[in-house]
Amino acid sequence: MLDALTLSEDSPWRVVLSLREDYFSRLGDIASLAGRFARHVVVVPRATRAELEQILREPAQLYGYTFAHRALIQGIVDEVADEMAALPLLSFCASRMWAHRDSKARTIGWDALEAVGGASGALASHSETLIRSLPEPGPAIARDLLLRLVHADGTRARLPLDQVER
C-alpha cells in the first residue's frame, strides 16, 4: 500500500487518503511519506454545531420527515459535537433512530433517541447487543479481543494472528 502512496511526482495517478485527525501526525513516522504528504494536504475542518444540525436535519427532510422538536436536534448535537468522531457518531445515531421513526406522523421523536440509547450511547448500545447475540463463548472472546486491540491512548493495536486466535 505504501508504494501506491509514494508515486513519483510525474505519475498520472493520484491517491486520495482519508485519515482521522488523531492519526494524521503519524504520517510523518512513515519514512517513505515523510515530507511528501504535507505538500498536498487538504484539511477538512470539523463540522460546526450549525453544520452538524444541518447534517442531521436535511436527510430526514429529503424523505419528508422532521424532527419532533428543535431541542431534540440540539440535544443530539450537544452530545456529539465535542467528540473527535462527531460526524460518524451523529451519522450512526441518526441511522439507528431512523428505524424508530413515526411513519404516520412522519417525525423522528424523543422516543427514537431513547430507543437507541441516546446520541452518545447508540454505538455502545448497538455493540453490546451484537456481542450478547454471539453464541458462547463468543461474548467473552469478543470482549477480550476488543480490549487487546486498543492502546491506552485510544488507538488500535496491531496483533499477530496467533495472538488473536484462541
Side-chain angles (χ1 to χ4, degrees):
M1 181 173 140
L2 287 179
D3 289 339
L5 296 176
T6 56
L7 296 170
S8 68
E9 292 291 327
D10 58 345
S11 171
W13 298 96
R14 294 295 173 250
V15 175
V16 176
L17 180 65
S18 174
L19 294 177
R20 284 186 358 205
E21 180 180 12
D22 51 333
Y23 281 97
F24 185 76
S25 65
R26 294 180 184 196
L27 287 177
D29 296 336
I30 302 170
S32 59
L33 292 179
R36 295 189 70 175
F37 70 91
R39 286 179 281 177
H40 304 288
V41 170
V42 175
V43 177
V44 178
R46 284 187 189 184
T48 65
R49 287 179 185 276
E51 290 167 334
L52 289 171
E53 287 183 20
Q54 180 181 1
I55 290 166
L56 185 59
R57 184 181 54 252
E58 284 189 5
Q61 287 175 340
L62 286 173
Y63 287 92
Y65 282 78
T66 59
F67 282 83
H69 304 280
R70 177 156 167 71
L72 174 59
I73 293 173
Q74 291 171 329
I76 294 168
V77 169
D78 286 346
E79 279 192 65
V80 302
D82 295 328
E83 297 292 332
M84 288 293 273
L87 189 54
L89 287 172
L90 181 77
S91 176
F92 186 80
C93 177
S95 70
R96 303 295 296 167
M97 289 177 68
W98 184 252
H100 300 279
R101 69 192 181 277
D102 182 337
S103 297
K104 277 189 174 176
R106 301 193 66 80
T107 60
I108 302 168
W110 291 101
D111 54 334
L113 182 61
E114 186 177 317
V116 301
S120 58
L123 183 58
S125 174
H126 179 68
S127 300
E128 282 296 322
T129 300
L130 287 177
I131 288 173
R132 276 189 257 116
S133 72
L134 296 171
E136 289 297 334
I141 293 171
R143 288 184 203 292
D144 181 56
L145 178 62
L146 291 170
L147 287 172
R148 291 172 51 198
L149 290 174
V150 177
H151 287 287
D153 66 357
T155 59
R156 65 189 172 114
R158 290 180 182 243
L159 296 176
L161 191 56
D162 64 333
Q163 288 184 18
V164 175
E165 296 178 322
R166 276 191 171 203

